[in-house]
């Protein structure tokens, strides 16, 4: 996909309610509008779509860095997350949504606990989200049943909520944290509720080896045998997948959330994105949680996706700029099964869009805006953010969130659960 999609100049977009009514050069043919917003020297784009996140983990940003995934999870993240109550999830999610809106993200996927709190933050802030109660099946049968019941109830309570801005999924955490029978139960519920499935897949080589030792097959075949891919499925990471597995994922229509920043920081590896494209997959992008990234800057992930594969493959054509941009917008919408609603600026779609300032010295000369956006711009260049035609940020001013209050509450929520020694040892 190396062709350039056309950019309109001297253009306008007409928004009618929550949808785009017209896009074209000049002013709309019928000059009937309630408000005319001047976007001179700005580039209008679909909002970024973050396809994998654990939003409340902003509270653990920088808490335990430079560790292997399993040590990071088992000795640092899970013990701290066990202290999380509704207050922590609400405060952490508000901080995450604040950061995402400032960076131009208009839609995100989230997998976590206390998801009613997450959904309420989404409803209040005006952002769009696809949410699921993450389910880890390592506890007792009673605990597993309770978690699945919560996940199902969350779907029933929130799918289509916030005027349609909230959609849902079912979220078995990963093959290594959910026994096979438990995954089968989740698939049955997904079929009954007509829900997609979101899960972690093959993030580390150790995870793949464990799956082979435990079940005799690699994770992709394991999930396929359990019926997961009968449902529309989004998998996060897919770092350690081979040609045969990629072919199977493509055949089943599985969506991929590529998390380059998180995978690099945890030393998990680099997903074979170019190979996925050759098999017809269209990987999208996610930040993962802020504890493993350590930011929620989707434009940064677009830039990483355009750069790291060039270096890893020693091929400057590995992921062209226009392809990386699509990974953060159109492919993201497809990965969340929302491509009929968002992901491009077309009449009939939801009015989810952002503007980027073109006047900075790093954006000059303006002869290739796609190149500048992917290789030179930063999230600070995002000026306006709209979801459902409603402004959430205009001229860098937030309109639905109290930033100072959110920052203060996040600090209080962390200190309420922090152990006396906030800096963990090296975990070894």
């Amino acid at each position: 996909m190396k062709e350039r999609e056309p950019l309109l100049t001297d253009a306008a977009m007409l928004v009618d309610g929550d949808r785009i009514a017209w896009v074209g050069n000049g002013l709309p043919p019928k000059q009937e509008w309630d408000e005319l917003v001047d976007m001179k020297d700005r580039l209008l784009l679909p909002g970024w779509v973050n396809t994998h996140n654990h939003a409340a983990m902003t509270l653990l940003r920088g808490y335990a860095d430079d560790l292997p995934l399993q040590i990071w999870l088992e000795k640092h993240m899970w013990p701290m997350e066990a202290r999380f109550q509704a207050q922590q999830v609400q405060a952490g999610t508000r901080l995450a949504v604040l950061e995402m809106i400032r960076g131009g993200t208009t839609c995100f996927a989230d997998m976590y606990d206390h998801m009613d709190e997450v959904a309420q933050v989404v409803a209040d802030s005006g952002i769009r989200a696809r949410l699921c109660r993450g389910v880890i099946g390592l506890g007792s049968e009673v605990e597993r049943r309770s978690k699945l019941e919560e996940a199902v109830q969350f779907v029933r309570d929130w799918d289509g909520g916030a005027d349609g801005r909230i959609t849902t999924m079912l979220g078995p955490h990963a093959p290594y944290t959910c026994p096979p029978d438990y995954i089968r139960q989740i698939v049955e519920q997904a079929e009954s509720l007509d829900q997609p499935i979101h899960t972690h897949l093959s993030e580390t080589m150790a995870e793949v080896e464990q799956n082979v030792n435990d079940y005799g097959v690699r994770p992709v075949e394991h999930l396929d045998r359990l019926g997961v891919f009968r449902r529309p499925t989004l998998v996060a990471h897919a770092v350690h997948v081979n040609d045969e597995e990629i072919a199977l994922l493509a055949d089943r229509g599985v969506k991929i959330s590529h998390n380059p920043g998180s995978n690099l920081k945890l030393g998990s590896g680099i997903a074979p994105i170019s190979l996925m494209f050759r098999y017809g997959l269209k990987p999208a992008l996610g930040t993962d949680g802020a504890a493993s990234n350590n930011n929620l800057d989707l434009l940064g992930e677009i830039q990483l996706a355009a750069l790291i594969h060039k270096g890893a493959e020693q091929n400057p054509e590995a992921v062209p700029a226009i392809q990386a941009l699509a990974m953060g917008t159109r492919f993201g919408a497809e990965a969340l099964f929302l491509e009929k609603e968002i992901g491009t600026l077309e009449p009939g779609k939801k009015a989810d869009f952002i503007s980027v300032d073109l006047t900075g010295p790093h954006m000059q000369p303006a002869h290739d805006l796609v190149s500048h956006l992917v290789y030179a711009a930063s999230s600070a260049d995002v000026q306006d953010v709209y979801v459902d035609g409603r402004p959430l940020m205009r001229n860098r001013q937030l309109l639905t969130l109290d930033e100072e209050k959110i920052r203060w509450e996040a600090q209080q929520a962390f200190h309420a659960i922090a152990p006396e020694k906030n800096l963990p040892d090296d975990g070894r």
Side-chain angles (χ1 to χ4, degrees):
M1 194 192 103
K2 297 180 182 179
E3 72 278 4
R4 291 294 179 95
E5 298 175 358
L7 290 177
L8 296 179
T9 58
D10 188 25
M13 184 168 69
L14 181 64
V15 174
D16 185 7
D18 63 353
R19 295 191 180 269
I20 299 169
W22 177 89
V23 179
N25 290 111
L27 293 176
K30 294 182 180 179
Q31 296 184 12
E32 300 174 359
W33 50 77
D34 299 321
E35 181 183 11
L36 185 62
V37 179
D38 186 3
M39 294 282 185
K40 185 176 183 294
D41 294 325
R42 295 182 186 181
L43 177 63
L44 262 62
L45 297 154
W48 311 137
V49 181
N50 185 343
T51 58
H52 183 64
N53 199 354
H54 310 288
M57 291 185 79
T58 52
L59 293 193
L60 300 178
R61 190 195 320 263
Y63 182 75
D65 289 337
D66 307 324
L67 296 168
L69 175 64
Q70 294 308 128
I71 292 174
W72 177 79
L73 276 175
E74 295 172 10
K75 293 196 174 184
H76 299 281
M77 293 300 106
W78 287 348
M80 281 297 289
E81 287 178 297
R83 301 167 182 250
F84 274 35
Q85 301 297 322
Q87 175 196 2
Q88 282 69 40
V89 173
Q90 182 185 84
T93 302
R94 281 182 179 153
L95 185 64
V97 170
L98 167 66
E99 181 180 353
M100 285 190 283
I101 291 175
R102 279 214 166 277
T105 293
T106 55
C107 180
F108 72 102
D110 201 58
M111 173 194 287
Y112 213 63
D113 196 0
H114 296 285
M115 289 304 294
D116 288 336
E117 302 295 334
V118 176
Q120 192 58 58
V121 171
V122 171
D124 294 342
S125 66
I127 202 169
R128 189 181 307 280
R130 186 134 218 170
L131 308 175
C132 59
R133 200 281 193 210
V135 176
I136 293 177
L138 298 179
S140 67
E141 178 61 31
V142 172
E143 289 173 316
R144 288 197 291 269
R145 188 182 309 114
S146 175
K147 289 178 181 179
L148 183 52
E149 288 172 356
E150 284 182 27
V152 168
Q153 191 60 50
F154 178 76
V155 169
R156 290 173 174 157
D157 290 344
W158 285 101
D159 193 29
D163 297 321
R165 286 185 288 107
I166 294 175
T167 48
T168 56
M169 300 181 284
L170 287 179
H173 176 264
Y176 67 90
T177 57
C178 292
D181 286 345
Y182 197 45
I183 292 176
R184 289 192 187 96
Q185 293 174 36
I186 295 170
V187 171
E188 290 174 2
Q189 290 294 339
E191 291 175 335
S192 175
L193 296 165
D194 192 23
Q195 288 289 297
I197 290 175
H198 182 33
T199 190
H200 298 81
L201 176 73
S202 299
E203 186 173 358
T204 67
M205 183 57 72
E207 172 189 337
V208 175
E209 292 171 351
Q210 178 183 334
N211 208 93
V212 172
N213 291 335
D214 291 346
Y215 306 117
V217 293
R218 292 166 64 94
V220 173
E221 183 177 351
H222 179 63
L223 292 183
D224 190 50
R225 289 182 178 183
L226 295 175
V228 171
F229 301 150
R230 292 200 307 264
R231 299 300 309 155
T233 302
L234 167 65
V235 299
H237 305 298
V239 175
H240 296 280
V241 288
N242 58 32
D243 289 57
E244 182 180 350
E245 290 174 301
I246 293 172
L248 179 59
L249 293 170
D251 182 67
R252 301 294 191 264
V254 174
K255 309 300 182 183
I256 310 292
S257 177
H258 178 36
N259 293 211
S262 177
N263 295 155
L264 287 172
K265 181 167 179 280
L266 289 170
S268 301
I270 299 175
I273 295 302
S274 294
L275 187 59
M276 292 178 185
F277 276 117
R278 288 199 289 275
Y279 275 92
L281 289 164
K282 291 186 282 188
L285 291 168
T287 58
D288 212 346
S292 66
N293 191 305
N294 288 16
N295 62 63
L296 306 179
D297 180 5
L298 208 280
L299 178 56
E301 303 301 318
I302 292 172
Q303 293 165 339
L304 273 177
L307 292 173
I308 63 172
H309 302 287
K310 291 175 170 63
E313 299 177 30
Q314 300 182 52
N315 174 14
E317 298 180 299
V319 178
I322 190 65
Q323 194 171 49
L325 184 58
M327 292 172 74
T329 54
R330 180 157 51 93
F331 298 166
E334 293 176 9
L336 298 188
F337 312 102
L338 296 172
E339 67 273 15
K340 293 182 180 179
E341 297 291 321
I342 62 171
T344 57
L345 301 184
E346 297 179 73
K349 287 197 173 182
K350 291 286 191 176
D352 291 13
F353 61 95
I354 64 175
S355 80
V356 175
D357 181 23
L358 299 177
T359 63
H362 58 293
M363 303 294 278
Q364 308 299 321
H367 57 77
D368 191 332
L369 296 181
V370 171
S371 173
H372 293 351
L373 187 65
V374 173
Y375 297 122
S378 76
S379 59
D381 293 315
V382 176
Q383 301 298 303
D384 305 283
V385 175
Y386 284 72
V387 174
D388 265 357
R390 176 192 181 192
L392 308 186
M393 183 173 76
R394 289 184 67 170
N395 299 314
R396 298 294 297 169
Q397 297 299 309
L398 292 162
L399 302 178
T400 63
L401 297 172
D402 184 335
E403 182 167 358
E404 183 177 2
K405 179 181 179 183
I406 288 170
R407 293 200 311 262
W408 185 85
E409 289 180 342
Q411 291 286 352
Q412 298 306 306
F414 175 76
H415 288 306
I417 62 167
E420 291 183 7
K421 185 179 180 183
N422 288 339
L423 296 177
D425 60 25
D426 65 5
R428 294 177 176 86

